[in-house]
């Protein structure tokens, strides 16, 4: 009975703590002064798959992106990203030996459209002191998308799940600078071309394959669409 009472007290204390944290998070979720954000990012892309098993930037490529965000408050954002990037790899750089000592290389140009959610660890913005806004904030992002890759005369389209982290800095009330790293899971084994699928003779599946790609970018964005904080309607 004593153990049961202690367990109930611990559960009650945990519930009170969780409720307190929820209240704090709700209180800090202030509305953002602007509804939308449009921007561009540049950086390098990399690949992990059948032709590269370790460093994703062993063969760095170019990545260019344009994006648009909807800003419901200072903590959250819903972002659409359209990107183009190059991928390449060479099995001769790997320590693994393929059957019959074969060697393969590839070069591909890929395009991706994704929708992502972003969570800022700090209330992000510039404003009155009492709002406790921060001009910088680290953030996490995850989403869903689709990618088209063209390599060696073959083209493939696969669903993707981009996951990443970054940091934002508000240079002015409307202008933002950012640094972001993302890793993207491609649900298909032909991002690097049909020739490089199943090099070890092990069949893959929709949910289990070896193709990932990464991107490291810097970017700038501009906020627009002022949100009406105190709207007065006259009939």
């Amino acid at each position: 009975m004593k153990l049961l009472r202690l367990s109930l007290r611990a559960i009650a204390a945990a519930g009170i703590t969780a409720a307190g944290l929820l209240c704090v998070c709700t209180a800090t979720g202030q509305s953002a002064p602007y509804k939308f954000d449009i921007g561009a990012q540049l950086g390098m892309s990399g690949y992990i798959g059948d032709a590269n098993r370790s460093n994703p930037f062993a063969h760095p490529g170019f990545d260019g992106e344009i994006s648009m965000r909807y800003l419901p408050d200072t903590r959250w954002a819903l972002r659409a990203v359209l990107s183009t990037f190059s991928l390449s790899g060479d099995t001769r750089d790997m320590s693994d030996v393929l059957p019959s000592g074969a060697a393969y290389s590839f070069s591909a140009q890929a395009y991706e459209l994704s929708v992502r959610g972003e969570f800022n660890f700090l209330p992000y913005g510039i404003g009155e002191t009492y709002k406790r806004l921060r001009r910088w904030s680290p953030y996490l992002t995850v989403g869903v998308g689709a990618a088209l890759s063209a390599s060696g005369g073959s083209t493939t389209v696969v669903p993707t799940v981009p996951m990443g982290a970054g940091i934002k800095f508000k240079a002015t009330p409307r202008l933002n600078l950012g640094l972001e790293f993302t890793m993207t899971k491609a649900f298909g084994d032909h991002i690097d071309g049909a020739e490089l699928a199943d090099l070890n003779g092990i069949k893959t599946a929709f949910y289990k394959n070896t193709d990932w790609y990464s991107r490291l970018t810097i970017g700038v964005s501009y906020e627009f669409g002022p949100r009406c904080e105190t709207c007065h309607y006259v009939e």
Side-chain angles (χ1 to χ4, degrees), residues 11-214:
I11 292 171
I16 293 171
T17 302
L21 290 174
L22 180 60
C23 290
V24 170
C25 291
T26 303
T28 56
Q30 307 170 53
S31 63
Y34 298 97
K35 299 177 184 178
F36 304 104
D37 171 294
I38 189 168
Q41 298 78 40
L42 296 174
M44 63 178 178
S45 56
Y47 151 89
I48 290 181
D50 293 291
N52 180 37
R53 305 281 172 81
S54 55
N55 179 10
F57 296 114
H59 295 269
F62 171 79
D63 174 68
E65 304 175 355
I66 56 174
S67 64
M68 185 171 180
R69 291 182 178 93
Y70 170 64
L71 310 171
D73 58 42
T74 59
R75 290 278 192 170
W76 294 93
L78 182 63
R79 181 184 180 195
V81 183
L82 177 63
S83 55
T84 179
F85 48 94
S86 56
L87 302 172
S88 61
D90 195 325
T91 61
R92 288 170 292 188
D93 297 334
M94 302 190 315
S95 58
D96 299 357
V97 177
L98 297 175
S100 303
Y104 301 89
S105 64
F106 85 98
S107 178
Q109 187 66 33
Y111 307 86
E112 184 193 59
L113 177 62
S114 64
V115 178
R116 312 174 188 177
E118 290 182 358
F119 173 72
N120 301 321
F121 284 94
L122 302 172
Y124 181 63
I126 296 177
E128 293 82 354
T129 305
Y130 74 89
K131 293 183 178 180
R132 300 182 182 276
L133 299 176
R134 302 295 183 88
R135 295 185 67 166
W136 66 276
S137 177
Y139 67 92
L140 294 177
T141 181
V142 65
V144 293
L148 181 150
S149 175
S151 175
S154 65
T155 301
T156 185
V157 178
V158 296
T160 61
V161 176
M163 300 162 280
I167 187 167
K168 304 173 182 177
F169 174 73
K170 188 167 282 295
T172 71
R174 292 197 183 204
L175 190 65
N176 306 281
L177 306 177
L179 173 68
E180 183 179 86
F181 173 76
T182 58
M183 285 290 293
T184 301
K185 172 71 169 176
F187 288 90
D189 203 24
H190 296 146
I191 284 287
D192 44 16
E195 184 184 25
L196 271 72
D198 309 325
L199 296 184
N200 291 304
I202 301 174
K203 297 297 291 182
T204 60
F206 176 80
Y207 58 89
K208 183 180 179 183
N209 60 75
T210 55
D211 286 349
W212 291 73
Y213 52 87
S214 57

